[in-house]
Amino acid sequence: MRDWSDRLDTGMKLLHRQAVRIPLPDVQAERSLHENMERIAAAGDRKSTLLDDPDVPLTEVYEDELADMRQSFKHRLEQIAGEDYYDVATAYLDGERDDWIGALAAYYLECSFVFS
């Protein structure tokens, strides 16, 4: 069995330059996605404010932003695939699943690793 870095590399190659459609089955799902995007936008605003303060170290600004982004993607992963999101995503990357939940979990897991 491949380790997680091999799976991630495979996932990036599979998903690179491919749109991921996010099926929104109801108003609650649309609201949840919107709230997540608001969190991402708020993280950007917070970063901008911190960058304006010359007393805040640059590394602290980016670490804060990365933490926000990681939390955002983890939240989406848990909403979409449940607490076992890692297993769902890796099953998709290993070819053991072929559904939109697996694809989206792999996509969000890849995003969360980018911000790690």
Side-chain angles (χ1 to χ4, degrees):
M1 178 176 251
R2 299 177 299 186
D3 70 1
W4 71 268
S5 61
D6 289 337
R7 282 189 230 140
L8 179 61
D9 185 49
T10 300
M12 285 189 283
K13 289 176 185 169
L14 286 173
L15 298 172
H16 182 70
R17 294 184 173 250
Q18 294 186 32
V20 175
R21 299 181 87 186
I22 302 174
L24 301 172
D26 55 31
V27 173
Q28 180 56 37
E30 187 172 335
R31 180 166 296 145
S32 178
L33 178 63
H34 177 76
E35 289 169 354
N36 191 56
M37 293 299 106
E38 282 183 324
R39 278 191 291 277
I40 290 173
D45 289 343
R46 211 168 22 260
K47 173 182 150 186
S48 178
T49 301
L50 289 171
L51 285 172
D52 286 341
D53 185 347
D55 294 327
V56 177
L58 192 58
T59 54
E60 186 178 316
V61 172
Y62 285 101
E63 287 172 3
D64 182 69
E65 179 187 32
L66 291 175
D68 285 344
M69 299 299 279
R70 274 191 303 273
Q71 183 57 37
S72 175
F73 286 114
K74 182 180 178 195
H75 178 75
R76 284 299 291 156
L77 277 163
E78 289 175 345
Q79 284 182 315
I80 292 163
E83 291 182 16
D84 296 329
Y85 61 83
Y86 183 84
D87 294 334
V88 171
T90 55
Y92 179 84
L93 294 172
D94 287 341
E96 298 167 8
R97 290 182 70 124
D98 188 24
D99 61 325
W100 72 267
I101 293 175
L104 199 52
Y107 173 77
Y108 279 125
L109 187 63
E110 177 183 339
C111 292
S112 71
F113 282 128
V114 168
F115 294 106
S116 292

